[in-house]
Amino acid sequence: TGAKRKKKSVLWSKMNMPHCEDFKQCCRRRLPILEWATHYNLKENLLPDTVSGIMLAVQQVTQGLAFAVLSSVHPVFGLYGSLFPAIIYAIFGMGRHVATGTFALTSLISANAVERLVPLNSQNLTTQSNTSVLGLSDFEMQRIGVAAAVSFLGGVIQVAMFVLQLGSATFLLTEPVISAMTTGAATHVVTSQVKYLLGMKMPYISGPLGFFYIYAYVFENIKSVRLEALLLSLLSIVVLVLVKELNEQFKRKIKIVLPIDLVLIIAASFTCYCTNMENTYGLEVVGHIPKGIPPPRAPPMNILSAVITEAFGVALVGYVASLALAQGSAKKFKYSVDDNQELLAHGLSNVIPSFFFCIPSAAAMGRTAVLYSTGAKTQVACLISCIFILIVIYAIGPLLYWLPMCVLASIIVVGLKGMLIQFRDLKKYWNVNKIDWGIWVSTYIFTICFAANVGLLFGVVCTIAIVIGRFPRAKTLSIKNMKEMEFKVKTEMDDETLQQVKIISINNPLVFLNVKKFHTDLMNIIQKENVSNQPLDEISKCEQNTLLNSLSNGICNEEATQPCLNQKCSLILDCSGLTFYDYSGVFMLVEVFMDCKNKSVDVSLVHCTASLIKAMKYWGNLDSEKPIFFESVSAAISNIHLNKNLSKLSDHSEI
């Protein structure tokens, strides 16, 4: 019986060992902090992460106060929204330079629900109540309850998208659509701050064409503008822009940039306190900010059905903007980001903080730019920033009572500079692909006329419709002259080696639907290790293997998977079947060229249209010393052969 028990225990352990390993792998995959925290280098990373964390905390606090006001809730809830989401994302997120917190676009969307369900005219005459949380009025608690409900439901939607593995559907979100949507939403945010910049009293205006109604109201009531608020706003904007430009100009010469946002807040608050601007000039100030963090409370579940529209907007817009920043930082610093894991991270960053009176959260371009400029290495920078945010919540917060709202609005407007300057992309899209230019303009118009989520939906539908309409007219087959394709160069270096010329014929359009697969398959061909050199009598077999004659929708044929030589491979892309392309296709062709160049692989493009050549030259800084565009495959092969002979002659002359 003892032997049987021993056998059973061994079998049981064998059965459970794989499950334990799978569990560990699952934990590492779903909790990225377990992966990077164990390899954290204290000596190299702690100092830059600490500096970045301090600078990030300054921006988190200023944006938290500003975006809470934008979300129509008390400013203190913006401080909570800068703390809890950052901690959750540092645990579950994969973006090393992504700082989750309050976000202008999600705040603007949640404000629609807050103003609709708890309008300003329902405010009680009692502004403070000792029975409420932190001494705030019931009116303020009702408002944050609505915003927390939007955050909770938006996070649940993002987690549901993670469960359904919908992160892979992000290829539908092309760069022109994201750029236009974020630019349009930034325009909405600037418009919402006009009343603070001008010191005007204005009712809340939203809905279709609300953007135009706001400016119509401003011009109708132009006499009610407070000159003091306008001058202070202009002065704040000039100082912010000037100092930030100087910081950017001399960031290589100075180790620590000037935190102008913090300096401006301190200076404006102190000046307002000394001169009593609130009573003397009637300037609106932030007001009382209570100390501490209240105990957690569940969002009101009875209003979830009433905020479902805003929740979907928060889930989609917040995720799209955040993922674009995560992918950009991953590409910049050479690491990978899982789209589905980002859905989980941002979903939990909205669900869990909603129990701590937080408004909807997402990543912001300004915070990512701070992490770039200050040399942040890992997510530790975000965790360090949370320590300083806690200090503000428990000690410094009440001192911000005298901060003028017009100064806070100026900080918001200048912080949106990165989104607003995306108008410059119009020139790029016009030169690369005029259809993408039209998609950008139409998406922007829909965004400012309606809302960010409506503009995003329109852009995606418009892009898919255009591609579907163009695909039936696309050429799917191209006839090749096999004799022209077959080529083998025998060279003498130290030994006799073989230089292969890989020829890939692109027989389908190259658009956002297939560019990722195209790049992946092409890089797999180049990176594969080469087999041993083949004898010359196997020339016919080698010629078949070096011919890659179809790349349909980015999926290579089986015979296309033969490897290139790592050091001496030449690649020819035959674009005669590339009937049309979009901005993503041009970008991917340029990226392929640059990646191959870094891998010492010569790339030639043949049968390119004049518009494709113009677009690639405009988008990428292509090597002008060597020609890469040729009229035919034979011309490209002759150029490769000529370059090889020239290199041999130069080697002999050196000897």
Side-chain angles (χ1 to χ4, degrees):
T1 57
K4 288 182 179 179
R5 287 179 181 175
K6 189 174 182 180
K7 285 183 179 180
K8 285 183 179 180
S9 64
V10 171
L11 288 171
W12 180 256
S13 62
K14 287 183 178 179
M15 290 173 63
N16 283 274
M17 277 294 290
H19 296 290
C20 292
E21 291 297 324
D22 291 343
F23 179 74
K24 289 180 181 178
Q25 291 180 1
C26 181
C27 287
R28 285 183 174 272
R29 190 167 65 251
R30 297 307 171 206
L31 293 169
I33 191 173
L34 299 177
E35 189 70 31
W36 60 262
T38 54
H39 301 93
Y40 189 77
N41 191 325
L42 285 173
K43 292 183 179 179
E44 293 184 3
N45 298 337
L46 185 58
L47 181 59
D49 281 344
T50 302
V51 174
S52 298
I54 295 172
M55 300 303 296
L56 178 62
V58 172
Q59 192 159 36
Q60 284 274 41
V61 169
T62 55
Q63 289 187 346
L65 295 171
F67 295 153
V69 174
L70 183 62
S71 191
S72 297
V73 299
H74 194 278
V76 72
F77 298 118
L79 297 179
Y80 306 153
S82 300
L83 174 66
F84 293 103
I87 297 173
I88 301 299
Y89 183 83
I91 297 172
F92 293 94
M94 300 183 71
R96 299 174 192 170
H97 297 80
V98 174
T100 304
T102 56
F103 185 45
L105 308 189
T106 54
S107 296
L108 193 64
I109 293 172
S110 67
N112 292 332
V114 172
E115 294 288 350
R116 189 179 75 251
L117 298 178
V118 191
L120 194 61
N121 54 21
S122 67
Q123 183 175 8
N124 197 312
L125 294 176
T126 304
T127 57
Q128 290 190 359
S129 173
N130 294 328
T131 59
S132 294
V133 177
L134 296 176
L136 296 174
S137 65
D138 292 335
F139 172 76
E140 293 290 355
M141 298 311 300
Q142 289 175 9
R143 286 202 149 196
I144 187 57
V146 174
V150 174
S151 177
F152 173 81
L153 188 55
V156 168
I157 293 171
Q158 289 174 329
V159 173
M161 292 171 67
F162 159 75
V163 173
L164 297 174
Q165 298 290 292
L166 295 181
S168 57
T170 52
F171 69 90
L172 296 173
L173 304 171
T174 61
E175 184 176 330
V177 172
I178 296 175
S179 174
M181 183 272 293
T182 52
T183 307
T187 308
H188 271 298
V189 175
V190 172
T191 302
S192 69
Q193 298 304 297
V194 168
K195 62 180 179 180
Y196 298 117
L197 294 172
L198 301 178
M200 295 179 62
K201 297 292 183 181
M202 182 187 303
Y204 182 78
I205 301 173
S206 64
L209 304 180
F211 173 85
F212 302 101
Y213 291 137
I214 290 175
Y215 286 106
Y217 183 91
V218 170
F219 285 113
E220 288 175 1
N221 299 272
I222 196 70
K223 293 181 180 180
S224 63
V225 173
R226 289 189 179 275
L227 186 59
E228 298 84 2
L230 177 59
L231 292 176
L232 188 55
S233 299
L234 291 175
L235 179 63
S236 301
I237 291 174
V238 170
V239 170
L240 286 168
V241 172
L242 184 62
V243 176
K244 288 190 175 185
E245 287 295 326
L246 290 175
N247 282 339
E248 188 69 23
Q249 192 81 16
F250 299 103
K251 65 180 180 180
R252 294 184 180 180
K253 297 181 180 180
I254 54 178
K255 294 182 179 180
I256 300 177
V257 297
L258 178 65
I260 184 58
D261 293 353
L262 178 62
V263 173
L264 183 62
I265 286 176
I266 295 173
S269 301
F270 182 75
T271 304
C272 185
Y273 171 75
C274 293
T275 58
N276 195 17
M277 288 186 180
E278 182 184 15
N279 298 321
T280 305
Y281 301 107
L283 285 182
E284 187 177 357
V285 296
V286 169
H288 172 67
I289 296 181
K291 288 184 181 180
I293 298 175
R297 179 191 295 179
M301 300 297 172
N302 58 328
I303 63 171
L304 292 182
S305 59
V307 300
I308 190 168
T309 304
E310 288 81 9
F312 267 105
V314 164
L316 295 177
V317 174
Y319 173 66
V320 168
S322 302
L323 183 64
L325 292 174
Q327 290 177 338
S329 64
K331 184 178 179 182
K332 183 180 181 69
F333 295 97
K334 308 298 181 185
Y335 62 91
S336 60
V337 169
D338 183 1
D339 297 349
N340 284 305
Q341 180 63 26
E342 289 297 291
L343 270 174
L344 176 64
H346 288 290
L348 295 178
S349 297
N350 277 309
V351 172
I352 298 174
S354 67
F355 289 82
F356 294 89
F357 306 96
C358 293
I359 60 178
S361 64
M365 187 181 295
R367 295 194 291 267
T368 298
V370 167
L371 293 174
Y372 283 168
S373 61
T374 53
K377 301 295 183 183
T378 64
Q379 292 94 321
V380 171
C382 297
L383 296 176
I384 291 174
S385 72
C386 293
I387 298 174
F388 291 93
I389 295 172
L390 276 173
I391 295 173
V392 173
I393 291 174
Y394 280 96
I396 305 175
L399 301 178
L400 299 173
Y401 177 98
W402 298 99
L403 177 62
M405 290 299 300
C406 59
V407 174
L408 203 55
S410 302
I411 293 174
I412 293 178
V413 172
V414 176
L416 294 170
K417 176 190 170 186
M419 293 184 183
L420 294 173
I421 62 175
Q422 291 179 132
F423 279 110
R424 297 187 301 189
D425 292 344
L426 282 171
K427 181 181 178 182
K428 175 175 65 177
Y429 295 129
W430 180 265
N431 285 280
V432 174
N433 188 278
K434 291 179 176 57
I435 292 179
D436 283 332
W437 182 88
I439 291 174
W440 196 103
V441 172
S442 57
T443 302
Y444 176 79
I445 291 173
F446 262 76
T447 301
I448 63 170
C449 288
F450 300 99
N453 50 347
V454 176
L456 181 65
L457 180 62
F458 170 81
V460 171
V461 172
C462 184
T463 304
I464 295 174
I466 289 173
V467 171
I468 291 175
R470 296 177 74 184
F471 256 113
R473 303 196 303 271
K475 183 179 180 182
T476 57
L477 295 174
S478 59
I479 302 173
K480 304 295 178 186
N481 185 350
M482 297 299 291
K483 291 182 180 180
E484 180 188 52
M485 296 283 207
E486 296 169 358
F487 184 68
K488 185 180 271 290
V489 179
K490 184 179 178 182
T491 62
E492 291 183 2
M493 303 293 262
D494 295 330
D495 298 314
E496 270 195 352
T497 57
L498 193 66
Q499 180 183 5
Q500 290 181 331
V501 177
K502 293 283 185 183
I503 305 174
I504 296 180
S505 175
I506 306 175
N507 291 336
N508 259 348
L510 194 59
V511 293
F512 68 96
L513 293 170
N514 59 2
V515 288
K516 285 187 178 179
K517 193 65 169 64
F518 169 79
H519 181 266
T520 301
D521 289 339
L522 199 57
M523 291 299 104
N524 287 339
I525 295 171
I526 296 169
Q527 290 173 356
K528 283 191 175 182
E529 295 181 0
N530 190 29
V531 293
S532 58
N533 293 336
Q534 300 177 17
L536 293 177
D537 56 0
E538 294 183 5
I539 185 169
S540 59
K541 181 179 178 181
C542 184
E543 285 166 352
Q544 291 178 352
N545 289 340
T546 59
L547 176 63
L548 313 180
N549 61 359
S550 178
L551 194 62
S552 177
N553 282 332
I555 303 173
C556 297
N557 292 342
E558 288 184 3
E559 66 177 2
T561 59
Q562 296 299 320
C564 282
L565 277 171
N566 292 335
Q567 299 294 330
K568 304 163 189 175
C569 180
S570 295
L571 181 67
I572 297 177
L573 292 178
D574 187 350
C575 301
S576 58
L578 184 58
T579 49
F580 68 87
Y581 53 87
D582 64 0
Y583 174 85
S584 300
V586 175
F587 173 79
M588 189 55 67
L589 284 175
V590 174
E591 187 173 354
V592 164
F593 174 80
M594 300 306 296
D595 288 347
C596 291
K597 183 180 178 182
N598 294 333
K599 298 177 187 297
S600 300
V601 176
D602 293 329
V603 179
S604 302
L605 289 91
V606 302
H607 298 131
C608 297
T609 61
S611 60
L612 178 60
I613 294 173
K614 178 184 175 182
M616 288 187 67
K617 286 183 176 179
Y618 179 84
W619 172 247
N621 186 18
L622 303 180
D623 189 3
S624 59
E625 296 179 0
K626 296 180 181 179
I628 63 171
F629 299 103
F630 299 92
E631 294 182 355
S632 63
V633 175
S634 58
I637 292 174
S638 300
N639 182 71
I640 295 170
H641 188 53
L642 178 62
N643 290 337
K644 196 63 190 178
N645 290 336
L646 290 174
S647 64
K648 287 171 66 177
L649 288 173
S650 63
D651 291 341
H652 285 304
S653 63
E654 289 177 1
I655 295 173

